[in-house]
Amino acid sequence: MANHLNDISRDHPDIAAGVAARWLSDPAPTTTRLVRHGLRTLIKSGHAGALTLLGHSPDSPVVVEGPHVHASEIRVGDYLLFDYSVTNTHDQTAHLVVGYVVLHMKANGTRTPKVFKLTTRSLAPGETWRATRRHSFKPISTRRYHPGVHLVQLQVNGRSHGEASFTLLC
């Protein structure tokens, strides 16, 4: 069911959010988990209806620092290490979906984004969450790496924050 909802969300995001809202109006014990999984693509893309449905405000007042990359050059097979922090500047608890986007260099010189989820968490008013992430550039069968300048961005509740560049060497 979740995969079907996710498939619908790609072409008809508002319909998928509406179906999920109906399911959540009278949920079974497993419904919330199913809906969260079914709306994963909409959450990554920052769809306001899907975020709100799951309790995440797209406009949460946060201050994001970073990403700060540890090395400006990395080789295929190594990993990218970056730090970041998120601070809730509101006077109420913020419910956040935090992720990051790697904009991979393509063979034609353009970049293509790939969104990765970090965590779903709540921050109390004034609370800051700091973390370091390690992203692997180990060769995999589903992605081909190309040399050049790549970018990494943070994403909080579907909104991009900050950007850092690094050079991938092959």
Side-chain angles (χ1 to χ4, degrees):
M1 293 294 290
N3 286 338
H4 292 299
L5 186 62
N6 190 51
D7 290 344
I8 293 168
S9 74
R10 293 169 198 222
D11 295 326
H12 307 286
D14 294 331
I15 291 173
V19 168
R22 283 195 309 275
W23 289 354
L24 289 174
S25 67
D26 185 25
T30 58
T31 303
T32 303
R33 183 171 177 234
L34 182 140
V35 166
R36 190 172 48 246
H37 188 65
L39 296 179
R40 65 192 179 274
T41 298
L42 292 181
I43 296 298
K44 285 182 176 184
S45 70
H47 187 274
L51 285 163
T52 302
L53 191 61
L54 295 177
H56 307 285
S57 171
D59 299 317
S60 289
V62 295
V63 172
V64 179
E65 292 185 24
H68 304 291
V69 297
H70 288 214
S72 60
E73 291 184 344
I74 61 169
R75 294 195 170 280
V76 171
D78 290 341
Y79 57 87
L80 172 69
L81 197 62
F82 63 93
D83 298 324
Y84 57 93
S85 69
V86 180
T87 302
N88 177 10
T89 59
H90 199 264
D91 59 357
Q92 296 177 0
T93 299
H95 304 286
L96 307 174
V97 177
V98 182
Y100 66 100
V101 181
V102 176
L103 289 102
H104 293 279
M105 179 65 70
K106 294 172 54 173
N108 66 6
T110 62
R111 292 186 185 99
T112 185
K114 174 65 177 147
V115 180
F116 299 90
K117 184 176 177 185
L118 287 168
T119 189
T120 300
R121 71 178 324 128
S122 296
L123 291 181
E127 183 180 1
T128 298
W129 173 57
R130 290 178 176 79
T132 299
R133 177 64 180 187
R134 180 177 156 159
H135 180 84
S136 176
F137 278 89
K138 182 176 85 172
I140 57 176
S141 62
T142 56
R143 183 173 298 119
R144 177 139 188 239
Y145 296 116
H146 299 280
V149 177
H150 291 57
L151 303 173
V152 62
Q153 302 170 337
L154 292 173
Q155 189 180 63
V156 178
N157 288 358
R159 305 285 190 256
S160 292
H161 296 271
E163 182 176 277
S165 64
F166 59 96
T167 302
L168 184 64
L169 306 170
C170 292

